[in-house]
Amino acid sequence: MIKLKSKRFFKSNSKVGSGAAAAEKSIVGSNNINSGEIKWELRPGDMLVQKRECDNINGREAIITLRVSTVSNWHDISIQPTSTFGELKMIMSMVTGLEPKEQRLLYRGKEREDYEHLHMVGVRDKDKVLLFQFPAIKERKLLAGTLQVIGGSAYRTISV
């Protein structure tokens, strides 16, 4: 983590303390969002950005809750905001029984790739994500199921 100090430009008031030195001390010493120290973090894609204060709670990352809706029901999933959609698919595979390669996740009307990070796309706490089964794989499963039924019954009729 890189720490840089920002400069504040303001009018000094001679009635407060000893002028600019007292004002600077109060700015740097404060623990609020407007402190003189900016915290930086390295995001995926080697992008250096200012660290968000709301993401950290007591030195660890916050957990967000997503509502993942399937065709017939929905699931509330707790996950870190820095996780990827691929990691979300892994969690959903344990809940729904669908393999990650069979899943399509849509957020804000767009299908998201496995490598995309939730926080980079804009996923927030209590947002809704849609889960669909990949149509080609669903069709293959149905076709394989009907072929097994047809093959099994045809075998029985021939052997009788």
Side-chain angles (χ1 to χ4, degrees), residues 45-60:
D46 298 330
M47 183 185 302
L48 185 67
V49 296
Q50 185 175 354
K51 190 167 188 165
R52 296 184 201 147
E53 294 297 324
C54 61
D55 282 349
N56 291 337
I57 299 173
N58 297 329
R60 58 189 170 110

Side-chain angles (χ1 to χ4, degrees), residues 10-103:
F10 55 90
K11 294 181 182 179
S12 64
N13 191 352
S14 60
K15 294 180 183 179
V16 177
S18 64
E24 184 177 299
K25 191 182 277 187
S26 68
I27 288 175
V28 174
S30 66
N31 287 331
N32 61 7
I33 295 173
N34 295 330
S35 67
E37 191 173 313
I38 297 176
K39 295 178 184 175
W40 297 90
E41 67 179 336
L42 193 62
R43 292 276 175 88
D46 298 330
M47 183 185 302
L48 185 67
V49 296
Q50 185 175 354
K51 190 167 188 165
R52 296 184 201 147
E53 294 297 324
C54 61
D55 282 349
N56 291 337
I57 299 173
N58 297 329
R60 58 189 170 110
E61 290 193 21
I63 302 292
I64 60 173
T65 303
L66 297 177
R67 177 164 283 187
V68 182
S69 297
T70 60
V71 175
S72 58
N73 53 9
W74 51 267
H75 306 279
D76 286 330
I77 304 295
S78 296
I79 192 167
Q80 292 183 343
T82 54
S83 301
T84 62
F85 280 93
E87 293 168 356
L88 180 60
K89 283 183 178 182
M90 291 297 289
I91 293 171
M92 289 307 299
S93 68
M94 290 185 271
V95 174
T96 62
L98 291 174
E99 293 294 320
K101 62 183 178 185
E102 298 174 4
Q103 300 175 15

Side-chain angles (χ1 to χ4, degrees), residues 1-21:
M1 180 184 334
I2 300 171
K3 295 183 179 180
L4 301 175
K5 292 188 176 183
S6 63
K7 295 183 180 181
R8 301 258 178 219
F9 297 106
F10 55 90
K11 294 181 182 179
S12 64
N13 191 352
S14 60
K15 294 180 183 179
V16 177
S18 64

